[in-house]
Amino acid sequence: MKQNKGALWLAIGLALAGLGLFWVRTLQAPQGIMRALPYICIGLGCGLFGQGVGSLYNRHVMRRYPDFARRQQVEVNDERNVALSNRAKAKGYDCMTVVFGALMVAFALMGTSFTLIVPFVIAYLFVVGSAVYYRIRFEKEM
């Protein structure tokens, strides 16, 4: 399954983008969710298509140049690179919590609709809650 993942993403991406383009062309005066859904399908489809093409190309290069594949595998599994990646994720998380909080406060002060602010609050609480959960779990492991 792992080998066919790139082809699967490529096919799903093409199907979604095609469906979105079809809806854009055929729907006359769309209402409600159908005003945005075709464009969401096009965006997701293009993203998945790009992911699939990149995955297939990466697999092709790794098969063609085995010495490069071994070097790449060592780079990915290197302790220093893993530690740097984890530090970067932690800094990104710290920045994200501040930005999300400021964005929610700004929306609230602007008098934005309650239905727009609630998903932001739910997403923020989910991210912070998962961080607390993993912090507790990792401390118990040590």
Side-chain angles (χ1 to χ4, degrees):
M1 177 65 187
K2 187 171 184 171
Q3 291 179 351
N4 295 329
K5 222 179 227 185
L8 178 67
W9 288 132
L10 188 134
I12 291 172
L14 278 176
L16 270 175
L19 179 66
L21 286 172
F22 174 75
W23 279 341
V24 166
R25 290 294 208 183
T26 59
L27 289 177
Q28 303 295 331
Q31 298 293 320
I33 187 90
M34 290 308 287
R35 292 177 65 200
L37 188 61
Y39 301 104
I40 292 171
C41 286
I42 291 170
L44 284 174
C46 289
L48 290 175
F49 175 78
Q51 175 72 25
V53 169
S55 177
L56 289 175
Y57 183 73
N58 188 29
R59 194 174 72 199
H60 169 73
V61 168
M62 293 300 174
R63 230 187 282 137
R64 190 165 178 188
Y65 302 104
D67 57 326
F68 178 73
R70 278 192 301 278
R71 272 199 331 257
Q72 193 70 19
Q73 194 65 24
V74 167
E75 284 288 321
V76 168
N77 294 332
D78 183 35
E79 287 179 23
R80 183 176 178 271
N81 289 338
V82 171
L84 287 173
S85 175
N86 288 340
R87 283 184 66 196
K89 287 178 191 176
K91 290 293 183 185
Y93 167 78
D94 291 342
C95 181
M96 183 200 66
T97 55
V98 172
V99 169
F100 258 78
L103 190 62
M104 287 186 299
V105 170
F107 278 151
L109 291 176
M110 287 189 299
T112 307
S113 170
F114 188 68
T115 57
L116 183 65
I117 296 173
V118 169
F120 274 113
V121 172
I122 291 171
Y124 182 80
L125 291 176
F126 175 75
V127 168
V128 172
S130 65
V132 169
Y133 167 78
Y134 282 112
R135 173 72 186 239
I136 292 169
R137 186 173 145 203
F138 292 152
E139 281 182 358
K140 284 182 181 178
E141 289 176 3
M142 292 183 133

